Structures are given as C-alpha cells and as structure tokens.
Amino acid sequence: MHVGAGLHFPARSRGRSENVAGRGGRGGKRDRDRDTAMDGGEGRPQPHLAALVLARGGSKGIPLKNIKLLAGVPLIGWVLRAAIDAGVFHSIWVSTDHDEIEKVAKQFGAQVHRRSPEVSQDSSTSLEAITEFLNHHHEVDIVGNIQATSPCLHPSDLIKVADMIQKEGFDSVFSVVRRHQFRWSEVKKGENKMTEPQNLNPAKRYRRQDWPGELYENGSFYFAKRHLIEKGYLQGGKMAYYEMRAEHSVDIDIDIDWPIAEQRVLSFGYFGKEPLKEVKLLVCSIDGCLTNGRIYVTEDHKEMVSYDYRDIVGIDLLKKRGIQVRLISDRDCSKTLSAMQLGCVAKVSVTNKLQILKDWQEDMGLSWKEVAYLGNEESDVECLKQAGMSAVPADACAAAQKAAGYICKSRGGCGAVREFAEHIFLLLEKVNSARKQLEEISSAGKEMGRNENRRKGNKELMEKE
C-alpha cells in the first residue's frame, strides 16, 4: 500500500488506543447523523470532513477485488456501511476509474469521484489519488482515507478518530495494531554473516504476557488535514496513532486471504446499527429462488419446474433449528408445491408480498429483526428492505440485489436457499456468542458486587469488635 513519498515524523506525536480510559467508556448510545456532524458547538460549523475510499478497477492480485462478494456483501460495502453509520462525515466518496465500482458505490450511498488515468496506474500512490480528489473538491478540509480492503472496520473507530482530528486538534491520525512478533535481520543469499535479533534478547526471551508488543500500521485508515496533504504528507504535523483491536484488523491483499477474511467478518464484522437477533421466520420466494424460474410445459399443458435437493436439505435444517420456513409466489403454483411435499405454509397468487409478510410477522409476534427474506424480483424489493436479514440469488434482478443485505454465490434453484440457510446459521452463532459474552460480563459484575458487599460486611464487623 502506498502512503506517499516523504513521510514526516515530528517529535510531537501521540497515540490512542480503542480502549483508552475516558474514551472507550463514552460509547453508550451514540447514534449521530450527518446533521450532527455539521455542528461544531456553539453554532460553529466544523471543517468539512470527507470519507474517501480509493477503489481502482485494475487490481493486480484479484480482478475487481473491491466489489468481489465477501460474506455476501461487495468488499467496498463493508467500509461504506461503517462510514455512513458513523455519522461523522459531511460527505462520503469513492474514487474510482471503473463503471461497475461506481455502480456499487452509489448503491451503498456514496458519491463518486471519477479519477483520471494519470492516477489510476499500477505505480500511482494513494497520496496522488487523494491530492487529485482535493483539487476537485475545494470544500473538503479533512480527508479520512479508508481502505476498501479493511472489512472489519466499525463506526466506533471512525467516531473516535473524528474526535481526535476535530476536537483534539491533531493534523493526522492513522490506524495501527499491536503485534507480538520477534523480528530478525534478513541475510541475503551469498552474504557471509549471521542473522541478528532486532527487538529481543535471545538469552532473555519475553513471555507473551510480559511483553507489550509493538505497534504496526494496519492500513485501515489515514486521516489528514488538507494543508498537510498539500505539502505531500499523509502523516505529519501534530500526529497520533489509533490502536484498533486485533480481531478488527483485516487487510485483504491476495486471494488466499479471502476465505479467512470471510470467517473473520462473520465473527467480528459490522452488520448495521441494530443488534442482530435470532431469526425465527424465513420467507422464500418460490420462482427464481427455490426454483430456477423456468417453467416447462408439456404437450398436455402441464407445468413442470426443477429444484435442487440441496435447497430441500437447507429447509429441513432451518426447521430443525426452530426456524419456520414459509413460501410465497406471484403466481398460482399450488400443484407444484403439493408435488414437492415440503410441509411449509405457502401463499400463492400474491399481488402484495409485503402485506403478506407483515401479516405473518404480526401473527407470529415477531420483530422485523427476527424475519429473514429470500427474493429475486422487483416484487420482492420492499420485503427485502423490511426484513432484518435479506438475501438474493446470484442471478437476481439489479433492484433486488441493491435492496438485499446478502448476495448468494449460488443461482436461484441451484443451492441459494441452502447457502442462505448456512449464512443465517453463522450469524446465529455470532448472536449466541455475543449473548454469552454479555452473560459472562453480567455474572462477573454480580460476583464483584457480592465480594464488595462481603468486604463491607467484614469491615463493619471488625469495627464493631
């Protein structure tokens, strides 16, 4: 990753950890919006802070890496979601030279700066692309350069860094991660010398718990003020680092990282403002999701459709996990459903899918966060938007893909239902893990309270004696 030539490291620099006392405890309910970001206190407007994601189309390692699906979401979508929900940016931009990346960026609510060919080369640096952006957007005072390849970024990180820039007066802030790795000098082939330790004494090796480790840039973001960038720096002036949690520090550079990153995102990624809840109802559109959408007509005018046995297994697995599965269709396919013998509640010949979905949700006494929806057509769009968890097959129409939270790798009628079921199960593990952590914290808090009460009781007895 290019940070730009001539990095300036003055003596006056400070660090920030995600869990610094007095900062980490501010969280609570911190739901800012863009109007709040405009308020600098006492009626003073804040300097214009723009989020900027650089997403060139000509990635050498992975073709169109920036919009490749990661856990069902285009890679760039993860950081755009975090930036939008942070609510601290006056504008959010994607700088790209590619039409498809522009399309995805706009779907996620970002504005697009079309970068020139001169700063879209393999040799172009991030600093050059950011400088070009500033030359076209004179209203911007501070740039938060967010890397598209950091899908575990959370809004809370961006909120804290925005405070460091806007309220504490730093000129630049960049992200780091703490690592516990011993470094040795490199010995090139043919050199007549031995390797030397760089950050340890081999005779007195640290235990991990006794060594604080070292801070490394992780590339998630670089915030800098305009005057600094115009001098040719992304890091300089009154400078600070921001330490991210290790589990949130993911940088995808090569294809082999992809499956690892998907598991990390499912465990530690940011899925939106609302907390995840257990799904209790999955509604699936029949034509184009459960089937491939094709209808075969015999000579005696009978209709036939095909389906994938994997999807039937997926439905069975959902039922075994206590998740109801209901089916919905625009057309009358009751005979087909009867032949498939799925044992699911179904509604056919539907003219308003959203109304049926609302009726089912209310009848079951569920919140929308407990409802999942799999659709593929324009008639499914409002349902996809309303459901707490939504997905579409890989061949769904563009409007449905835009509305969905997850895009399957499988096509309709070719395993999409099973794939979405697996995705739901993974997210349920995340919900259960979070619940378990809260229970452990609560239990620890109660135990501390009991110990404190016992201590006070013992103290009172001693005083009486």
Side-chain angles (χ1 to χ4, degrees):
M1 178 180 56
H2 302 287
V3 179
L7 296 182
H8 175 50
F9 294 92
R12 189 179 184 185
S13 67
R14 291 170 56 194
R16 278 291 186 275
S17 168
E18 182 181 12
N19 298 312
V20 170
R23 295 185 64 84
R26 272 198 230 171
K29 187 180 179 194
R30 191 157 186 178
D31 187 10
R32 307 184 187 188
D33 56 24
R34 295 186 193 184
D35 291 335
T36 308
M38 300 281 187
D39 185 6
E42 299 180 1
R44 297 191 305 273
Q46 286 185 348
H48 187 115
L49 171 59
L52 178 63
V53 181
L54 305 179
R56 191 168 62 92
S59 172
K60 282 288 185 183
I62 308 171
L64 286 180
K65 171 179 66 177
N66 292 310
I67 56 173
K68 181 178 177 180
L69 293 182
L70 179 74
V73 176
L75 177 60
I76 198 173
W78 290 100
V79 294
L80 290 177
R81 178 190 288 165
I84 290 169
D85 284 358
V88 295
F89 297 103
H90 298 78
S91 59
I92 297 174
W93 295 85
V94 171
S95 170
T96 187
D97 60 339
H98 198 280
D99 293 341
E100 285 300 312
I101 296 176
E102 176 176 358
K103 179 181 175 181
V104 172
K106 288 180 176 177
Q107 286 178 351
F108 276 85
Q111 300 180 72
V112 173
H113 168 76
R114 290 295 296 216
R115 69 165 75 179
S116 67
E118 288 75 23
V119 297
S120 301
Q121 308 301 315
D122 291 339
S123 58
S124 299
T125 67
S126 296
L127 182 60
E128 290 170 343
I130 295 169
T131 301
E132 182 197 67
F133 169 80
L134 284 176
N135 289 339
H136 286 82
H137 298 280
H138 301 288
E139 76 281 3
V140 175
D141 302 298
I142 307 167
V143 172
N145 174 214
I146 302 172
Q147 301 296 315
T149 53
S150 301
C152 284
L153 182 66
H154 281 240
S156 56
D157 297 317
L158 300 174
I159 290 170
K160 292 169 187 174
V161 173
D163 278 352
M164 293 172 72
I165 287 275
Q166 294 174 322
K167 296 182 179 179
E168 298 182 32
F170 287 100
D171 296 312
S172 61
V173 182
F174 56 94
S175 59
V176 300
V177 65
R178 189 174 299 276
R179 292 179 181 166
H180 295 78
Q181 296 175 329
F182 294 131
R183 292 180 287 107
W184 293 78
S185 63
E186 181 180 359
V187 177
K188 295 182 179 180
K189 190 174 182 179
E191 290 183 337
N192 187 24
K193 64 179 183 179
M194 294 186 297
T195 185
E196 297 288 340
Q198 300 294 296
N199 62 348
L200 78 153
N201 178 354
K204 297 180 180 180
R205 289 176 64 94
Y206 297 111
R207 295 187 308 164
R208 181 182 176 89
Q209 59 266 39
D210 296 332
W211 182 44
E214 297 179 328
L215 298 176
Y216 290 79
E217 288 186 27
N218 68 356
S220 284
F221 53 76
Y222 298 85
F223 281 57
K225 292 182 177 178
R226 173 185 280 271
H227 72 84
L228 197 65
I229 297 171
E230 289 176 341
K231 292 178 182 178
Y233 305 130
L234 278 179
Q235 295 160 296
K238 183 182 177 183
M239 180 171 54
Y241 63 77
Y242 176 83
E243 184 179 348
M244 288 179 62
R245 293 167 57 181
E247 60 266 32
H248 292 171
S249 185
V250 177
D251 188 15
I252 302 175
D253 283 325
I254 55 176
D255 207 15
I256 198 170
D257 293 342
W258 214 264
I260 299 171
E262 284 197 322
Q263 292 303 314
R264 184 76 70 86
V265 165
L266 289 169
S267 298
F268 303 110
Y270 173 71
F271 288 85
K273 290 181 179 179
E274 294 294 326
L276 292 171
K277 286 190 176 181
E278 277 197 46
V279 171
K280 296 181 180 177
L281 170 66
L282 168 63
V283 177
C284 175
S285 183
I286 298 170
D287 298 308
C289 291
L290 183 58
T291 74
N292 60 12
R294 294 181 180 178
I295 301 173
Y296 304 92
V297 182
T298 65
E299 290 182 355
D300 55 352
H301 305 293
K302 290 182 179 180
E303 292 184 358
M304 292 190 301
V305 297
S306 65
Y307 62 89
D308 194 309
Y309 181 70
R310 291 174 296 175
D311 292 329
I312 307 304
V313 173
I315 291 174
D316 287 339
L317 290 172
L318 288 162
K319 290 179 178 179
K320 288 177 181 177
R321 293 285 292 265
I323 300 172
Q324 279 203 37
V325 179
R326 298 189 177 185
L327 307 174
I328 195 167
S329 177
D330 299 298
R331 68 186 190 89
D332 183 3
C333 54
S334 52
K335 290 183 179 180
T336 300
L337 289 172
S338 177
M340 293 173 74
Q341 298 181 341
L342 297 174
C344 298
V345 173
K347 195 79 172 179
V348 299
S349 302
V350 173
T351 56
N352 187 339
K353 289 183 176 179
L354 181 59
Q355 186 58 55
I356 299 299
L357 185 64
K358 286 180 177 179
D359 290 344
W360 284 342
Q361 175 245 345
E362 291 173 3
D363 289 345
M364 295 179 65
L366 304 178
S367 69
W368 283 112
K369 279 291 175 182
E370 296 171 305
V371 178
Y373 192 91
L374 179 63
N376 70 307
E377 275 297 343
E378 291 191 9
S379 60
D380 297 306
V381 168
E382 294 305 316
C383 295
L384 291 166
K385 291 179 179 178
Q386 190 70 61
M389 196 179 297
S390 59
V392 294
D395 54 348
C397 73
Q401 289 194 17
K402 182 178 179 180
Y406 181 86
I407 302 174
C408 296
K409 297 174 184 176
S410 306
R411 299 165 66 89
C414 299
V417 177
R418 173 64 182 270
E419 181 182 338
F420 189 35
E422 295 288 352
H423 180 68
I424 290 173
F425 297 151
L426 284 169
L427 293 185
L428 288 180
E429 289 179 13
K430 183 181 177 74
V431 172
N432 292 331
S433 175
R435 180 185 298 143
K436 185 177 179 181
Q437 289 177 6
L438 287 173
E439 289 174 351
E440 290 174 351
I441 292 170
S442 176
S443 177
K446 290 178 181 177
E447 183 63 28
M448 288 176 64
R450 286 192 291 267
N451 291 338
E452 180 65 17
N453 289 335
R454 282 195 289 267
R455 187 188 66 78
K456 288 180 179 178
N458 292 336
K459 184 178 180 182
E460 289 173 359
L461 285 173
M462 291 175 65
E463 289 175 349
K464 287 179 181 179
E465 292 175 356

